[in-house]
Amino acid sequence: MKLENAVVLITGANRGLGLAFAKEALARGARKVYAAARNPASITLKGVVPVKLDVNNPEDVARVARECADVTLLINNAGVAEMGGFLSDDAEAMLRRQLETNLFGPLRLSRSFAPVLANNSGGGIINVLSIASWITGPILATYSATKSAAWSMTNALRQELTSQHTQVLGLHVGFIDTDLTSNMDVPKIAPELVVSRTYDGLEQNAHQVLADEPTQQVHQALSSHPDVYLVAMDSH
């Protein structure tokens, strides 16, 4: 789908990658951009419509779906990350907290906006995933599990929404140069570049975008049939 004349809703749009998504949507000619955050006063970008939204609050999600019935592109960007492995004392609590935002948040939004998108000729959904959807380690083990779950959900939603012509795109990327990674001494990619590549993929009808070189290398190493997950299990 094209960004020109699209009506875009972005979660977690007050900073970092979400803010970059909002800026580039406007630059590419989106007709309207809803910038969602728990505190709408934190939305300072000119040209967007601030929206109060806590993705963990089902009532918030339902209200926004009613009030923003012209949306043609949903970007599930809001997410959280906590450091820790599965053998840490608070592993279960960490996992539950992150699942609530990283899995159930996008699921709530996608379910609520699926009929909205259907009414608006199908449209699209972008789910912000991670290189951690495929590889993990003790530092980000619980976070990685939530992104793996979100990747699986994205693939299933893509199949379920095919009949209403909704494009579902999974964005995979490593470390992004935002305030969330400011204290991490690792290679990072600029959020503007991630967004540009993601929107390019959307406009080329892609199913996924591998936004940086580490993610591309990991994906290539996973399988000789990298798109096998696009096929439903019951189709074999």
Side-chain angles (χ1 to χ4, degrees), residues 23-222:
K23 289 179 178 178
E24 184 65 12
L26 292 173
R28 294 197 182 208
R31 177 158 46 92
K32 185 187 297 183
V33 176
Y34 293 109
R38 283 177 293 182
N39 177 14
S42 65
I43 302 293
T44 59
L45 179 64
K46 292 183 179 180
V48 302
V49 180
V51 173
K52 183 183 183 301
L53 172 63
D54 180 350
V55 300
N56 295 334
N57 185 323
E59 289 76 20
D60 262 14
V61 173
R63 171 183 51 78
V64 171
R66 291 193 304 269
E67 295 177 353
C68 304
D70 52 349
V71 165
T72 61
L73 176 62
L74 167 66
I75 302 179
N76 285 311
N77 166 74
V80 296
E82 298 185 32
M83 302 288 187
F86 283 111
L87 298 182
S88 61
D89 291 340
D90 57 346
E92 285 193 29
M94 283 196 301
L95 182 59
R96 291 180 189 279
R97 285 193 297 267
Q98 293 173 95
L99 280 170
E100 190 65 27
T101 299
N102 296 348
L103 176 66
F104 291 110
L107 177 59
R108 290 186 191 98
L109 268 296
S110 298
R111 284 170 54 87
S112 294
F113 274 92
V116 173
L117 296 173
N119 289 336
N120 296 325
S121 301
I125 298 174
I126 296 175
N127 285 340
V128 177
L129 304 171
S130 174
I131 191 175
S133 304
W134 303 320
I135 57 174
T136 188
I139 294 177
L140 286 171
T142 54
Y143 169 78
S144 178
T146 69
K147 287 300 187 178
S148 294
W151 177 48
S152 180
M153 178 195 70
T154 299
N155 296 333
L157 282 174
R158 182 183 298 114
Q159 295 166 12
E160 291 187 56
L161 294 174
T162 296
S163 61
Q164 69 173 47
H165 306 292
T166 297
Q167 181 183 355
V168 178
L169 186 152
L171 163 61
H172 295 271
V173 65
F175 293 103
I176 304 172
D177 190 9
T178 66
D179 59 334
L180 295 178
T181 62
S182 59
N183 295 324
M184 303 180 70
D185 185 18
V186 293
K188 304 170 189 176
I189 184 172
E192 294 80 9
L193 186 54
V194 174
V195 167
S196 178
R197 291 175 175 175
T198 303
Y199 282 153
D200 286 348
L202 183 78
E203 294 189 338
Q204 294 162 9
N205 296 315
H207 295 295
Q208 68 178 3
V209 167
L210 313 178
D212 60 350
E213 186 174 350
T215 302
Q216 295 163 13
Q217 292 174 344
V218 168
H219 184 267
Q220 185 176 11
L222 285 175

Side-chain angles (χ1 to χ4, degrees), residues 2-23:
K2 301 297 182 183
L3 264 295
E4 187 175 3
N5 292 321
V7 178
V8 186
L9 173 70
I10 305 161
T11 66
N14 57 323
R15 63 179 184 174
L17 188 64
L19 178 58
F21 268 121
K23 289 179 178 178

